[in-house]
Amino acid sequence: MFIRKRRSVPELNTASLPDLIFTVLFFFIIVTHMRQDEVKVRYRVPEGRQLTKMKKKAGVTHVYIGKPVDGRQEGYRIQVDSKVVAIDQLVDYLAESRSGMSPDEAQEMTVALSADKDVDMKTVMEVKQALRRANALKVTFIGTRINKSTSAPTKK
Amino acid sequence: MNFRRGKREVPGLNTTSTADISFILLVFFLVISSMDSTKGVFKQLPPEDKAKAEEVTEMDRRNVMDISIWGEGDVRVDGKPVDVRRLQGMVEKFVAGCPDRATHVVSIKMLPTSKYDDYFHVQDAVSSAYTSIRNSAAMGIYHKQYAECEQYERKKIDKLYPQRVMENLNEESGQDAADKE
């Protein structure tokens, strides 16, 4: 009467766990794509052969030069992070961008310059002057890797 | 003989490890998505120095490599049109063979109407050339790549092979005079 059948511990149903984790996975995939600035200028970066990867994500200010996406206006626009700015305001915006950084980041402040292939050098040089004035001296000219087949053999 | 067997139950699939597999996928994607960093040509700009007046110095012709960017795709070295893909080799040869490496100058001139594309290719070639030169120097002295060298080793190589690039926008003289590392 007092001897009962041995009870077994019921197993936890883990069937829905993968679904949960997949949801997290998709969330991260979507979020990492959304992190980038909304680019308001149209540009195609030039192709290069020996490009180095940008090491850090922190302390990077993005500067874009390209044709405006919406309007039919001529000429090139400059965008700092997510704002389109006039050339003479560029220094101020760079300073503002720097002030939002931690001291360590401000020291290592790097500007990622994504400019359209067809931008004239006058504009680029003006931007460079502004960078120098804003004391943002580390610049990376963004480009894409050229096709291996079309590039000349590099000397060892 | 007993032919009647107990009622058989379908065993449930053990899905405990699916979570682990998904976790691995998750971590993999996290790592990958932070790795797709943008690529480009790095350049250190010279600080703006208002106090220092632009000094015009006579340079030895053999110590100056004159690269000029004209129209679209028209890059000339010492007045002769060259293929941009051959430029890296030319810069390497020039830096290796110049009479005084401490004061040599690679001068890049361009028109205000020149295209950024050509400028980018020239920058790419010049910085590749210096990387290659410093790499071979690092290999010769320290038997390892420049990128793997310690800070003081790099400084030493930088001193041996300084990167001296000058950029000028034609017409506006002295716009970006001494652009040296």
Side-chain angles (χ1 to χ4, degrees):
Chain A
M1 230 210 131
F2 288 103
I3 304 164
R4 287 204 276 177
K5 246 177 146 185
R6 247 181 85 203
R7 249 207 261 165
S8 64
V9 182
E11 253 181 75
L12 194 66
N13 188 6
T14 51
S16 58
L17 200 54
D19 300 333
L20 273 175
I21 289 159
F22 261 120
T23 314
V24 179
L25 171 66
F26 285 126
F27 172 75
F28 272 107
I29 289 175
I30 290 166
V31 163
T32 43
H33 270 273
M34 268 161 50
R35 237 184 65 105
Q36 281 190 341
D37 306 319
E38 191 200 338
V39 181
K40 297 183 187 90
V41 295
R42 199 186 302 137
Y43 64 92
R44 271 172 55 218
V45 291
E47 293 173 327
R49 281 179 295 139
Q50 301 218 335
L51 307 176
T52 45
K53 264 187 193 160
M54 281 192 67
K55 282 164 237 150
K56 280 160 280 161
K57 289 233 155 175
V60 175
T61 305
H62 290 270
V63 175
Y64 308 91
I65 311 174
K67 288 221 163 81
V69 171
D70 43 358
R72 276 165 228 83
Q73 309 111 292
E74 283 300 298
Y76 291 98
R77 297 282 177 280
I78 299 155
Q79 180 184 345
V80 179
D81 282 336
S82 52
K83 271 181 250 110
V84 177
V85 301
I87 186 103
D88 42 339
Q89 293 172 328
L90 189 57
V91 183
D92 303 330
Y93 274 100
L94 285 166
E96 195 190 305
S97 169
R98 179 194 283 274
S99 63
M101 292 175 185
S102 71
D104 280 359
E105 285 172 4
Q107 190 116 54
E108 289 288 302
M109 181 181 176
T110 310
V111 171
L113 183 69
S114 313
D116 189 82
K117 275 177 167 185
D118 295 327
V119 172
D120 53 299
M121 279 317 292
K122 189 167 174 282
T123 313
V124 177
M125 285 313 241
E126 274 167 9
V127 170
K128 269 181 69 183
Q129 284 304 308
L131 293 180
R132 286 177 67 189
R133 219 166 299 142
N135 205 27
L137 301 177
K138 293 189 165 78
V139 183
T140 302
F141 298 100
I142 303 297
T144 49
R145 195 164 291 245
I146 206 164
N147 250 339
K148 273 269 150 57
S149 51
T150 52
S151 66
T154 45
K155 254 173 73 182
K156 264 268 147 132
Chain B
M1 278 173 115
N2 186 12
F3 285 104
R4 279 184 67 184
R5 289 199 269 179
K7 205 179 145 202
R8 244 208 265 167
E9 251 180 62
V10 181
L13 195 65
N14 188 4
T15 51
T16 328
S17 55
T18 325
D20 299 331
I21 295 169
S22 317
F23 251 128
I24 292 169
L25 270 179
L26 171 65
V27 171
F28 173 74
F29 272 106
L30 280 182
V31 169
I32 287 293
S33 55
S34 65
M35 260 166 57
D36 72 344
S37 51
T38 35
K39 297 194 200 75
V41 178
F42 179 77
K43 191 166 163 51
Q44 172 89 44
L45 299 180
E48 193 185 45
D49 209 349
K50 286 193 191 107
K52 206 165 145 195
E54 235 114 68
E55 42 185 285
V56 182
T57 40
E58 248 344 277
M59 302 286 299
D60 189 345
R61 290 294 308 162
R62 291 168 304 156
N63 234 344
V64 179
M65 185 178 193
D66 175 31
I67 304 172
S68 27
I69 305 166
W70 294 84
E72 223 168 320
D74 185 4
V75 177
R76 301 182 193 180
V77 173
D78 296 327
K80 285 182 233 72
V82 291
D83 185 354
V84 138
R85 279 174 294 184
R86 282 182 49 235
L87 194 60
Q88 186 189 343
M90 294 175 80
V91 174
E92 277 174 41
K93 222 167 114 190
F94 162 73
V95 175
C98 63
D100 185 8
R101 209 179 289 132
T103 58
H104 84 276
V105 165
V106 175
S107 154
I108 304 172
K109 286 193 195 118
M110 62 212 98
L111 300 172
T113 51
S114 303
K115 294 280 179 246
Y116 175 67
D117 196 31
D118 298 316
Y119 172 77
F120 184 86
H121 284 139
V122 170
Q123 280 293 343
D124 186 23
V126 170
S127 82
S128 305
Y130 276 108
T131 311
S132 159
I133 289 161
R134 285 179 176 176
N135 256 340
S136 53
M139 273 307 212
I141 303 170
Y142 302 112
H143 306 288
K144 55 186 170 186
Q145 295 278 312
Y146 178 72
E148 290 159 10
C149 284
E150 302 291 327
Q151 189 105 43
Y152 72 96
E153 293 172 335
R154 278 191 212 182
K155 272 208 177 125
K156 210 163 173 185
I157 293 168
D158 289 356
K159 210 163 193 182
L160 272 171
Y161 294 91
Q163 187 165 333
R164 292 168 62 85
V165 180
M166 196 168 92
E167 287 177 18
N168 272 95
L169 205 61
N170 259 6
E171 267 113 51
E172 290 166 62
S173 58
Q175 218 241 1
D176 198 7
D179 209 17
K180 291 163 201 154
E181 192 182 285

